[in-house]
Amino acid sequence: MRTRLFKTCTAAACIALLYGCTPDNEEMADFEKINRAQAAILEPGCEMVTFDHVVTGTNGFVTAVMSSPGSEQIMVHAYQRTASGSYRTNLNVANIFDSSQDWSQHLHDMQVVDILTPHQDFGGGGVGAGGARGSAYANDSDLGDMMIINRFDEANKPYDNNSGGMISFDFSSMGTVTMSSITVLDVDSYEGASKIELFGANGNLLSVVPVQISESNGKQIVDLGNTAGVARMVVHLGPDVTGASTGSGAVDNIVFCRPPQEYGCTYTQGYWKNHATGKKADAAWNGMHDDQFYQSGSTYLQVLNTAPKGGNAYYILAHQFIAAKLNMVNASSTPEVTAAFNSAEAYFSTATPANPYGAASRADLIRWAGILADYNEGRVGPGHCD
């Protein structure tokens, strides 16, 4: 087996752009490809397989893909569908197709131009009504390297299989992941049974997502519903709803996320009240106890020591917010906790204790406080410090 790196995709390109440096041509090409595709939906902890980093066997077919150089391998196996509707299991035919290659040499071959990107209407070589300008599935961007189920038994003949088949992606080297989306190209009207299956670690079927008919050369981003706990994904290209042996096409830009790693532990608001100053001071305060707490007119420690008279939800939320802010110095959060924290921070930027419900309802403040309290008291997140 050998690792084959196509157009390099590294974080260095993004970092270079941020700091005014110039990444090399390969880094820039791949950065632009991802940006054009769907980088806007990539959140912290999420990755994209662009099929530019692959491992091939001695026969040239792809055995594994990676989201970036050095990342865990996602094992791949592509099966051709036969005329009888069964699958060939004796040969893995997962292959890479360069969808941005010089299209002029393929004008005679309509079995290839329907998976070129972008469509001719957008300056590329793609041909087909589905990918044309004005279509709901307009093929308007260069996707570069894509994965296909190869038609031939030789990897140096990269043509998609007209009889379709299935591609299995095994994420078990990462444990399980949360599946976000995948781009699928060229699902014709006679390939309406195309679908994506998501399986858990025990082989249990978690979800079946239908792939829409995009017509020839049409491009679609299939929403996988942020399905969590996925260990394996199987992409079925075709067959026809009648069972006919069809299913040409290609896939690209698999977006998945990994569960955040937990670290550290949390303390309650009572701990932080008693560890702000003096010999027992916790370093996480770092002088913040004397800083003014937003628009309150009081310091952080003064707010923490102020009882919520009359059930003033400003202070109920502030106590949990301050404790969470200090806990987050050394402990991981969760998406729900972070969302509640951010909502509370936006609230405190304009609210005052005297007018606590001008920017948000009391119910909102109590709800956010409850989420943060669960975090501070160890019911969610990394747990309470013993």
Side-chain angles (χ1 to χ4, degrees):
M1 294 172 61
R2 60 191 177 93
T3 301
R4 179 168 49 155
L5 298 183
F6 294 87
K7 298 186 292 293
T8 307
C9 174
T10 70
C14 302
I15 294 171
L17 289 173
L18 287 174
Y19 288 91
C21 304
T22 303
D24 63 39
N25 290 336
E26 289 186 346
E27 286 179 329
M28 194 63 197
D30 204 63
F31 173 79
E32 289 177 346
K33 171 188 172 180
I34 292 178
N35 186 59
R36 284 194 303 269
Q38 52 194 132
I41 69 172
L42 286 180
E43 299 176 353
C46 297
E47 305 167 49
M48 183 188 291
V49 176
T50 61
F51 297 103
D52 299 315
H53 316 294
V54 305
V55 177
T56 59
T58 56
N59 61 3
F61 285 117
V62 177
T63 59
V65 297
M66 296 164 284
S67 62
S68 61
S71 63
E72 293 95 327
Q73 293 184 5
I74 302 164
M75 305 309 293
V76 177
H77 197 113
Y79 304 83
Q80 296 170 338
R81 185 181 294 105
T82 66
S84 64
S86 60
Y87 295 94
R88 286 186 62 189
T89 59
N90 63 327
L91 179 65
N92 170 23
V93 290
N95 206 6
I96 298 298
F97 177 80
D98 178 8
S99 69
S100 60
Q101 62 186 280
D102 181 9
W103 57 270
S104 59
Q105 61 184 306
H106 295 299
L107 282 177
H108 65 285
D109 189 351
M110 296 303 291
Q111 294 178 334
V112 173
V113 292
D114 57 1
I115 57 171
L116 292 176
T117 68
H119 189 275
Q120 288 181 339
D121 287 354
F122 302 96
V127 175
R133 189 185 300 277
S135 165
Y137 301 101
N139 179 5
D140 55 0
S141 60
D142 174 10
L143 294 177
D145 294 319
M146 305 182 73
M147 174 154 282
I148 59 173
I149 303 167
N150 214 57
R151 187 184 314 173
F152 303 105
D153 291 354
E154 299 85 28
N156 62 355
K157 298 178 180 178
Y159 291 79
D160 55 328
N161 188 34
N162 287 333
S163 298
M166 60 183 178
I167 312 173
S168 173
F169 297 92
D170 185 346
F171 293 87
S172 59
S173 65
M174 304 176 185
T176 62
V177 299
T178 297
M179 297 304 305
S180 177
S181 65
I182 182 173
T183 297
V184 182
L185 192 75
D186 188 45
V187 178
D188 290 289
S189 58
Y190 48 84
E191 296 165 345
S194 297
K195 62 184 179 181
I196 296 167
E197 297 176 325
L198 303 175
F199 296 89
N202 296 324
N204 52 311
L205 181 62
L206 300 175
S207 179
V208 179
V209 182
V211 178
Q212 302 301 312
I213 293 172
S214 64
E215 296 296 354
S216 182
N217 198 235
K219 179 187 70 175
Q220 61 183 295
I221 298 176
V222 181
D223 183 358
L224 300 178
N226 288 323
T227 303
V230 176
R232 186 166 65 96
M233 175 176 70
V234 180
V235 178
H236 295 265
L237 294 179
D240 188 337
V241 290
T242 65
S245 185
T246 59
S248 62
V251 300
D252 199 8
N253 295 340
I254 299 172
V255 179
F256 66 94
C257 310
R258 306 198 210 189
Q261 298 296 312
E262 291 188 347
Y263 60 88
C265 57
T266 59
Y267 292 105
T268 65
Q269 58 168 314
Y271 169 89
W272 294 111
K273 285 181 186 179
N274 297 319
H275 292 79
T277 60
K279 293 181 179 180
K280 296 191 298 182
D282 191 304
W285 273 105
N286 193 30
M288 189 172 68
H289 59 280
D290 283 333
D291 293 343
Q292 178 169 311
F293 184 79
Y294 298 93
Q295 309 300 316
S296 68
S298 303
T299 68
Y300 271 76
L301 187 55
Q302 287 171 337
V303 168
L304 199 56
N305 283 311
T306 301
K309 293 181 180 179
N312 189 328
Y314 180 98
Y315 287 109
I316 294 173
L317 177 59
H319 294 172
Q320 299 300 338
F321 173 82
I322 293 171
K325 187 170 186 175
L326 292 165
N327 282 322
M328 288 178 183
V329 173
N330 296 307
S332 61
S333 180
T334 72
E336 184 183 22
V337 170
T338 299
F341 181 90
N342 291 339
S343 295
E345 188 168 43
Y347 162 78
F348 287 125
S349 67
T350 60
T352 65
N355 184 26
Y357 311 127
S361 69
R362 187 176 191 279
D364 283 335
L365 306 189
I366 296 299
R367 179 169 57 85
W368 298 334
I371 295 171
L372 297 179
D374 285 342
Y375 171 68
N376 296 329
E377 296 167 14
R379 288 186 288 273
V380 298
H384 187 263
C385 301
D386 295 329

